[in-house]
């Protein structure tokens, strides 16, 4: 069980009010708030350790320590075999384009690439670009009734010529959790040589993520989605990273992960990432065991709390006449989704609904949220849908206020 009151006290942003009411952050799929410890860690780095790496003086040595600690923290969060498999970058999108360019060198005419229409565009457009290098790109469709991936379609496109398979762990638009381990097994059975790239931006904040259990080759996420600073993180299987040519300057190290981190690193961001991971380890954990053990316990507790919030939100939304709900709405299937939902109010423009909610202190998004293919598949172009995304610092009382406000808008 989570002590949500104690958790919320660690987030200064959660104390914000608007027109006399506490603000509700339901915009979390676009970026979460940060605990004070993350801001303190970044400030401490800039004020007391600021330098470049590999120098003989103390601040440089402290910066080396900061970089190493961040790699170890992310290795613990993702259960990576080695911190040398952790690559940092500006964001997940930039890292994915970087990997695409590195892998494009290997693509030959006749090679096949698989993407899905359930993905954020950052795990779609980079890979369809490989068609320019001669690859045949296949797009896996949706089951529209519950907005899940069509596994028969996925299986149909697999072949011995498959070279790259890219899919999301969880949808940023509708919250669907893909059966990632099963998808990896399907790929390995038909195309063992294929490289599998997973976008875990929307899963890492909500569920335990274990790259060794998943069996993929790459997994990317963003720390600003799990209570940290604006940075991207890529895990890659070391032997794969080592085999790739990196676009880098000549003096840069030739080995992973450094060869993929062009220029001077965002050291203060790395300090913030470590603090964010340490914060997560403290949530719902009893302090026993390694940080990896504490993270697993914490993420299981977070998932349980968020499923309770999802149950309350989904039951309330689906009981309202005139609310169009997109995605898994069966509350017996909460383990197949994260607490992100997409809805529309009949006859109302999504952006106007979101703006009205904002005026009433409920922050959320409307539109396509870069999940262009999903919105098109659901026939929601051009306006998209209203997206409400919860996380572990949200409360049942906040869910009830969201439902009450939406019900009032529906009847207005």
């Amino acid at each position: 069980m989570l002590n949500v009151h104690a958790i919320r006290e660690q987030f200064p942003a959660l104390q914000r009010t608007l027109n006399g009411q506490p603000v509700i952050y339901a915009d979390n799929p676009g970026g979460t708030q940060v605990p004070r410890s993350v801001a303190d860690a970044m400030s401490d780095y800039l004020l007391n350790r600021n330098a470049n790496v590999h120098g003989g003086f103390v601040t440089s040595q402290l910066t080396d320590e900061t970089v190493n600690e961040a790699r170890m923290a992310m290795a613990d969060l993702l259960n990576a075999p080695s911190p040398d498999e952790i690559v940092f970058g500006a964001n997940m999108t930039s890292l994915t384009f970087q990997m695409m360019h590195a892998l494009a060198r290997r693509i030959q005419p006749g090679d096949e690439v698989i993407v899905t229409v359930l993905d954020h565009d950052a795990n779609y457009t980079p890979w369809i670009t490989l068609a320019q290098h001669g690859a045949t790109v296949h797009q896996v469709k949706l089951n529209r009734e519950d907005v899940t991936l069509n596994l028969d379609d996925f299986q149909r496109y697999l072949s011995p010529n498959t070279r790259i398979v890219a899919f999301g762990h969880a949808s940023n638009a509708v919250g669907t959790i893909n059966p990632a381990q099963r998808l990896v097994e399907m790929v390995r059975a038909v195309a063992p040589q294929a490289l599998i790239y997973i976008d875990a931006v929307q899963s890492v904040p909500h569920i335990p993520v274990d790259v060794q259990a998943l069996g993929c080759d790459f997994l990317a996420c963003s720390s600003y989605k799990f209570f940290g600073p604006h940075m991207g993180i890529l895990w890659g299987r070391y032997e794969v990273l080592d085999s790739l040519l990196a676009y880098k300057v000549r003096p840069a190290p030739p080995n992973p992960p450094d060869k993929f981190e062009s220029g001077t690193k965002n050291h203060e961001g790395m300090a913030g990432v470590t603090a964010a991971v340490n914060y997560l380890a403290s949530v719902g954990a009893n302090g026993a065991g390694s940080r990896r053990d504490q993270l697993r316990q914490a993420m299981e507790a977070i998932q349980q709390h968020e499923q309770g919030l999802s149950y309350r939100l989904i039951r309330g939304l689906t009981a309202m006449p005139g609310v169009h709900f997109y995605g898994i709405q069966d509350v017996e299937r909460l383990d197949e989704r994260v607490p992100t939902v997409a809805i529309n109010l009949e006859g109302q423009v999504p952006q106007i609904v979101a703006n009205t909610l904002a005026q009433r202190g409920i922050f959320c998004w409307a539109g396509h949220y870069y999940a262009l293919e999903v919105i098109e598949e659901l026939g929601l172009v051009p306006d998209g849908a209203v997206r409400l995304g919860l996380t572990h610092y949200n409360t049942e009382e906040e869910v009830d206020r969201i439902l009450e406000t939406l019900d009032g808008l529906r009847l207005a």
Side-chain angles (χ1 to χ4, degrees):
M1 298 293 293
L2 298 184
N3 185 340
V4 180
H5 176 73
I7 286 169
R8 290 177 63 86
E9 287 187 335
Q10 298 181 58
F11 289 79
L14 302 187
Q15 313 311 313
R16 180 185 291 275
T17 61
L18 183 66
N19 298 325
Q21 282 194 305
V23 163
I24 297 175
Y25 292 91
D27 62 330
N28 298 298
T32 55
Q33 301 306 306
V34 301
R36 186 176 289 103
S37 59
V38 168
D40 288 347
M42 297 176 72
S43 176
D44 177 67
Y45 174 81
L46 289 170
L47 296 176
N48 299 309
R49 291 177 279 160
N50 195 20
N52 218 317
V53 293
H54 307 324
F57 48 95
V58 65
T59 50
S60 180
Q61 293 166 355
L62 289 171
T63 293
D64 290 337
E65 183 180 291
T66 298
V67 172
N68 293 334
E69 287 176 347
R71 296 201 203 282
M72 289 188 290
M74 285 306 306
D76 283 347
L77 180 61
L78 302 178
N79 195 31
S82 168
D84 290 337
E85 298 177 328
I86 301 297
V87 178
F88 286 94
N91 46 63
M92 177 270 179
T93 303
S94 298
L95 286 168
T96 304
F97 270 109
Q98 185 179 6
M99 286 300 110
M100 179 276 290
H101 285 298
L103 291 168
R105 299 173 185 259
R106 298 181 172 186
I107 293 296
Q108 300 178 3
D111 289 345
E112 299 180 7
V113 174
I114 297 176
V115 296
T116 91
V117 299
L118 189 54
D119 273 81
H120 185 289
D121 208 59
N123 203 35
Y124 179 88
T125 289
W127 306 117
I128 65 171
T129 304
L130 292 176
Q132 299 172 11
H133 296 265
T136 299
V137 181
H138 303 291
Q139 303 179 50
V140 180
K141 299 296 184 183
L142 304 176
N143 299 310
R144 291 188 59 177
E145 62 276 7
D146 60 0
V147 200
T148 57
L149 205 59
N150 187 317
L151 298 189
D152 290 336
D153 209 33
F154 187 86
Q155 182 70 62
R156 180 166 65 91
Y157 287 130
L158 288 171
S159 85
N161 295 324
T162 302
R163 295 292 177 265
I164 297 172
V165 179
F167 59 84
H169 201 181
S171 166
N172 78 305
V174 297
T176 303
I177 297 176
N178 282 324
Q181 195 165 354
R182 180 180 175 187
L183 295 175
V184 170
E185 291 170 354
M186 291 168 68
V187 174
R188 299 295 185 220
V190 177
Q193 77 291 338
L195 295 175
I196 302 171
Y197 194 101
I198 297 180
D199 170 7
V201 169
Q202 293 297 326
S203 59
V204 169
H206 302 293
I207 62 177
V209 175
D210 183 336
V211 295
Q212 296 188 66
L214 289 172
C216 54
D217 300 289
F218 301 97
L219 183 139
C221 58
S222 300
S223 59
Y224 73 101
K225 303 294 176 71
F226 60 84
F227 322 104
H230 288 87
M231 290 195 73
I233 303 102
L234 173 74
W235 169 82
R237 197 180 300 282
Y238 188 87
E239 57 269 26
V240 179
L241 292 176
D242 194 39
S243 70
L244 294 175
L245 291 174
Y247 291 89
K248 69 179 190 66
V249 295
R250 289 173 296 171
N255 303 316
D258 300 85
K259 72 177 183 179
F260 294 106
E261 295 173 343
S262 301
T264 301
K265 299 171 177 58
N266 180 354
H267 303 133
E268 62 271 27
M270 290 177 151
V273 168
T274 301
V277 173
N278 287 337
Y279 161 74
L280 283 171
S282 73
V283 174
N286 58 19
S290 67
R291 182 167 56 185
R292 287 195 186 197
D293 293 334
Q294 293 175 34
L295 284 163
R296 186 184 66 254
Q297 296 166 23
M299 295 312 302
E300 289 171 352
I302 284 172
Q303 185 177 22
Q304 181 179 5
H305 172 72
E306 291 179 349
Q307 286 185 351
L309 298 179
S310 293
Y311 181 93
R312 200 177 191 95
L313 180 63
I314 294 170
R315 284 290 295 268
L317 290 172
T318 55
M320 287 185 199
V323 173
H324 300 282
F325 188 101
Y326 311 103
I328 297 171
Q329 57 182 285
D330 183 352
V331 293
E332 300 299 320
R333 298 172 60 192
L334 293 177
D335 58 342
E336 298 177 45
R337 58 153 39 255
V338 295
T340 296
V341 302
I343 63 165
N344 273 323
L345 301 186
E346 189 169 339
Q348 299 193 41
V349 178
Q351 190 61 61
I352 294 176
V353 172
N355 291 346
T356 303
L357 290 173
Q359 293 166 9
R360 301 184 186 186
I362 299 171
F363 297 173
C364 66
W365 292 100
H368 56 65
Y369 358 101
Y370 287 76
L372 297 170
E373 299 299 317
V374 183
I375 297 301
E376 184 173 333
E377 283 285 308
L378 294 176
L380 299 177
V381 175
D383 294 321
V386 176
R387 181 180 67 177
L388 300 162
L390 306 176
T391 192
H392 71 279
Y393 54 56
N394 290 116
T395 66
E396 291 184 350
E397 291 76 16
E398 289 182 326
V399 171
D400 290 345
R401 188 173 137 207
I402 291 170
L403 292 171
E404 180 182 354
T405 305
L406 284 170
D407 198 36
L409 294 182
R410 178 183 67 83
L411 297 172

